[in-house]
Amino acid sequence: MSLQDELKAQIVKRLPELDVVIGWGQGYDSLHRTPLFITSEADVDKLVFDPLCVHNLSTYLTRYGSAKRIGVVVKGCDSRSVVELLQEKLIHRDKVMVFGLPCEGVADLGKVKRALAAKDLDMGRVRAASFADGDLVVTVSGQEIRLPMAEVQADKCGRCRYHNAVIHDEFAGQPITEAAPDTYADVAAFEEQTLEERMEFWREQMERCVRCYACRNACPLCVCRDYCIGQSREPNWVSQRDGLEEKFFFQMIHATHLAGRCTECGECERACPVDIPLLLLKRKLGKEILELFDYRAGTDPDAKPPLLNFKVQEDTINERGW
Amino acid sequence: MDKELRIVGFLCNWCSYGGADTAGVGRFVQPTDLRIIRMPCSGRIDPLFVLKTLIGGADGVLVSGCHPRDCHYAEGNYYARRRLEVLKRFLPIIGIDPGRFEYTWVSASEGQRWQHVVTSFTNQIHALGPVQRIGRQSLAKACSLGTVLEPLA
């Protein structure tokens, strides 16, 4: 039985106890998957799981209130968001059923687009997509193109420590045993630049920002919704001017509000329509919090988050006495 | 000393603000670059206050509260210490020198220590010079590109 069939069988078995199960379905073309909300057995057939299922579906968990019983299908990285939501008591364990999956990595459609563009092909003309021997095989403009997954895989998957769902009620398939160490090499490489170059980098990137807030809406831990201080008049943190300072400061709000909570699922960066590398800001905070407090968000539902905790004598904070 | 820079200080009401007052009453000579904002507690200081100040063009930000174990609200400064340390380590990624932001502890009786903190922090900021702003340089760049054009009437 394939992983996908096993998952479908598990959902069929559990569906009577649940109001809705959130999974992935076929999107508007062969390269896109879209969130699928399963309420009846007939919907289960529409379920798909493959490396094109990029969305972190735990984003939807906080939108149902506490009355509904929800099932959610998660990959390893998505499951950490579920843990983090449980830890913050934003969802209740007995109202959520987690269908865990092992995941070998998902595709980055930005990379697919660039790889096809390098061959003078247009991603919008892809007519079929499948996976064979670790390659993404696409049919585009009458040609069959093989793209090795190693080249079109999302960056976060190359350094993934949690391939298997860390929390689950049902687990389909075989757990993946190997895990890559995450050394935060990308952050270190970025920081080899001078301070001026770094700010110039953000200037160039943020120039493209259209303030669509897709980064915030895709984020599973941005739960303020209509009360987001990035859009409120009172307090008025960010004005409606479309200057770089406003655009950039919104990202500061997003990053600092995720300090010690962000599980680095990369949804902000994936959802960004203009490809701003937003995850870098969150990775930097994640790196410093790991160094200071030896803490990774979304791994233990009973842990106390480091920024809501303290020690009278901190072991790692060297107060530079003046 | 060269041209005055803009330094913003967030001081807790109970210790550091009193300490700054003590320094004033004692007529200790201090640099005048610092503008003080009084806060109820260092635990009230949202890291966004500091980021907004720095991105908005302040050349330096100083946060000062009660010494650990001496917080008026028992533990506000312990939470502040963790948050502010994370913030200080975060600043380099956005191209702001972490030396532009410091946090320290000054009690209400430590007028002399306050003078020392202000003097050394001001010197540190003057060594770094004016802050680079994300919005302004691009404006300058746009203006320099537009020099061939006639300005709008």
Side-chain angles (χ1 to χ4, degrees), chain A residues 53-67:
Chain A
C53 295
V54 289
H55 317 81
N56 182 348
L57 301 173
S58 53
T59 307
Y60 296 100
L61 289 178
T62 47
R63 305 191 183 188
Y64 280 92
S66 55

Side-chain angles (χ1 to χ4, degrees), chain A residues 78-96:
Chain A
D78 311 341
S79 70
R80 289 177 65 192
S81 308
V82 177
V83 171
E84 192 61 27
L85 291 170
L86 285 169
Q87 187 199 70
E88 296 177 13
K89 301 191 171 52
L90 293 163
I91 52 175
H92 300 284
R93 188 69 188 89
D94 53 340
K95 296 282 185 193
V96 173

Side-chain angles (χ1 to χ4, degrees), chain A residues 202-306:
Chain A
W202 290 115
R203 205 170 276 143
E204 276 168 22
Q205 298 291 333
M206 294 311 299
E207 203 114 68
R208 298 199 300 274
C209 173
V210 291
R211 276 173 84 178
C212 66
Y213 300 118
C215 45
R216 181 195 66 188
N217 297 346
C219 179
L221 294 169
C222 269
V223 292
C224 301
R225 307 282 172 224
D226 291 350
Y227 299 94
C228 176
I229 62 160
Q231 276 178 305
S232 71
R233 294 276 173 98
E234 185 63 47
N236 192 8
W237 276 103
V238 187
S239 83
Q240 282 148 306
R241 231 183 118 250
D242 75 334
L244 269 175
E245 268 169 34
E246 283 79 6
K247 293 170 179 182
F248 195 52
F249 192 71
F250 177 75
Q251 292 308 327
M252 295 297 103
I253 294 177
H254 194 182
T256 50
H257 281 188
L258 285 165
R261 308 168 66 219
C262 180
T263 58
E264 297 167 28
C265 68
E267 281 292 275
C268 43
E269 192 169 302
R270 184 191 63 76
C272 182
V274 290
D275 294 325
I276 300 172
L278 299 170
L279 188 55
L280 183 60
L281 294 171
K282 282 116 198 172
R283 297 255 304 153
K284 170 69 176 171
L285 279 170
K287 171 175 179 263
E288 299 306 337
I289 282 167
L290 182 65
E291 275 173 22
L292 281 170
F293 310 118
D294 191 24
Y295 177 86
R296 283 178 208 272
T299 50
D300 175 9
D302 301 317
K304 186 135 195 213

